Amino acid sequence: MSLREELLAQEYDERTKPRGFVYFTDADGQVVAKTCRKCGELKHAKNYHHKSDGFGQLGPYCKTCVSDRDREYYDKNRERLKRVKYAYYRRKRAEQLSLNLFDDNE
Ligand SMILES: [Zn+2]
């Protein structure tokens, strides 16, 4: 049974919005499931991070898409992040050496 069938069986209200966006609400109007803006899959509210100003107080992307995006960001910026770290290391190292040099001259 798909999540949609399950939600319908539990008598949640199915609502649709333009561009294939679907969501389900309970009797209190609370969003119990909605379509992820990225992968387009209908997912239960527990698969979304909380976002107070989001639709149904949920983030627009499911947790899977959020972690995929974070990993992609890291992969894309891996070289740059490495360079930043290395530059910091070099600067600290140079500082350390110049201090030692100064100590030796005393
Ligand atoms: Zn998703």
Side-chain angles (χ1 to χ4, degrees), residues 35-41 43 47-48 60-66 68:
T35 311
C36 168
R37 286 250 190 238
K38 194 161 189 227
C39 63
E41 270 181 59
K43 294 200 175 182
N47 293 308
Y48 292 89
Y61 311 123
C62 71
K63 285 180 180 175
T64 310
C65 287
V66 168
D68 280 358

Side-chain angles (χ1 to χ4, degrees), residues 50-105:
H50 178 81
K51 190 170 184 287
S52 54
D53 61 346
F55 183 80
Q57 298 212 315
L58 303 166
Y61 311 123
C62 71
K63 285 180 180 175
T64 310
C65 287
V66 168
S67 63
D68 280 358
R69 195 186 53 185
D70 287 352
R71 196 175 320 117
E72 244 170 60
Y73 173 83
Y74 180 77
D75 281 349
K76 265 188 205 153
N77 295 283
R78 192 198 299 270
E79 288 310 312
R80 194 175 59 82
L81 293 170
K82 248 192 221 166
R83 275 201 303 278
V84 169
K85 251 189 190 168
Y86 188 62
Y88 176 81
Y89 166 79
R90 286 284 295 267
R91 199 167 62 238
K92 280 285 158 198
R93 180 104 182 105
E95 262 173 37
Q96 208 69 43
L97 285 173
S98 64
L99 282 176
N100 289 344
L101 222 58
F102 185 72
D103 285 346
D104 287 346
N105 289 340

